[in-house]
Amino acid sequence: MAKINGNEIRPNAVLEHNGGLWVAVKVDHVKPGKGGAFAQVEMKNLRNGSKLNERFRSADKVERVRLEQKDQQFLYETDGMLTFMDTETYEQIELPADLLGDRRPFLQDGMIAVIEYYEAEALNVTLPQKVTCKVVETEPVVKGQTAANSFKPAILDNGMKVMVPPFVGQDEDIIVNTETMEYSERA
């Protein structure tokens, strides 16, 4: 594994620190008026989800971990566990549904997700950046209501609520960004 300096830590970097695997959620580079510069890093434990704030000086060395990424197909959910299949070897693995957090409703049957592994341990699931959903319920268009950046609430077929532009109607397919959980474009 590669050792990097404390000032080289970037968001989403996976680090081995204090015997655990951590992902850098937020990194602020601070240069105080007195003393040396440092990186204030907010980290999340990949195994148990706990958070940690740590300061790294440029002289500090941290272990950067490379995770192996595999495309796997989502099959089904049972008792809070998601079952994925490797499309090359047809091996199946189960992961807890809470790994996805509030993005869980965007996971669709047959969808290909990227699963990150450390050695043989699956640690993270990343959904495709854009997912197509159907608008189940939204307010009708009101003529003349075209103020700049006016959005209206819509309920999608997966139960999620997103804000959509006034021209989007009921039963239309839209594309939602799974990172920001916002309307992206018409499908």
Side-chain angles (χ1 to χ4, degrees):
M1 284 184 267
K3 283 203 182 272
I4 60 171
N5 293 336
N7 61 351
E8 295 174 4
I9 299 171
R10 300 286 176 256
N12 296 326
V14 179
L15 311 170
E16 189 172 324
H17 181 67
N18 292 346
L21 284 176
W22 302 82
V23 62
V25 179
K26 195 169 152 190
V27 180
D28 289 324
H29 292 280
V30 181
K31 177 136 181 46
K34 197 173 192 181
F38 59 87
Q40 183 73 37
V41 183
E42 183 181 314
M43 300 186 294
K44 182 179 167 200
N45 191 308
L46 284 172
R47 290 192 174 109
N48 61 21
S50 63
K51 292 201 171 186
L52 175 72
N53 270 318
E54 197 75 62
R55 283 183 176 181
F56 293 101
R57 302 213 173 275
S58 60
D60 295 341
K61 296 278 188 199
V62 286
E63 200 75 42
R64 178 154 186 193
V65 178
R66 292 251 183 245
L67 296 180
E68 182 185 352
Q69 296 184 331
K70 285 186 183 174
D71 287 348
Q72 299 203 330
Q73 184 178 19
F74 173 64
L75 299 177
Y76 57 89
E77 179 176 6
T78 337
D79 301 327
M81 296 298 280
L82 305 174
T83 303
F84 290 91
M85 178 184 70
D86 190 318
T87 52
E88 293 171 9
T89 64
Y90 302 107
E91 288 178 40
Q92 294 184 8
I93 61 160
E94 283 191 341
L95 297 171
D98 58 356
L99 250 176
L100 284 172
D102 52 1
R103 291 191 308 275
R104 165 61 190 102
F106 291 112
L107 185 63
Q108 299 165 349
D109 289 344
M111 180 181 276
I112 301 293
V114 176
I115 299 182
E116 295 179 315
Y117 288 89
Y118 176 67
E119 292 165 359
E121 179 184 11
L123 294 173
N124 194 15
V125 179
T126 307
L127 296 179
Q129 187 176 0
K130 294 186 176 181
V131 174
T132 304
C133 298
K134 185 181 280 301
V135 175
V136 176
E137 186 182 318
T138 188
E139 298 164 8
V141 176
V142 178
K143 287 244 185 251
Q145 189 182 17
T146 53
N149 289 343
S150 66
F151 280 78
K152 62 183 182 180
I155 298 174
L156 304 176
D157 55 357
N158 59 13
M160 294 295 291
K161 284 185 181 175
V162 295
M163 298 301 281
V164 296
F167 58 80
V168 173
Q170 195 164 317
D171 296 327
E172 276 192 55
D173 287 339
I174 62 168
I175 295 175
V176 178
N177 184 326
T178 57
E179 290 171 9
T180 60
M181 295 175 61
E182 294 174 345
Y183 168 86
S184 178
E185 59 190 309
R186 271 182 166 160

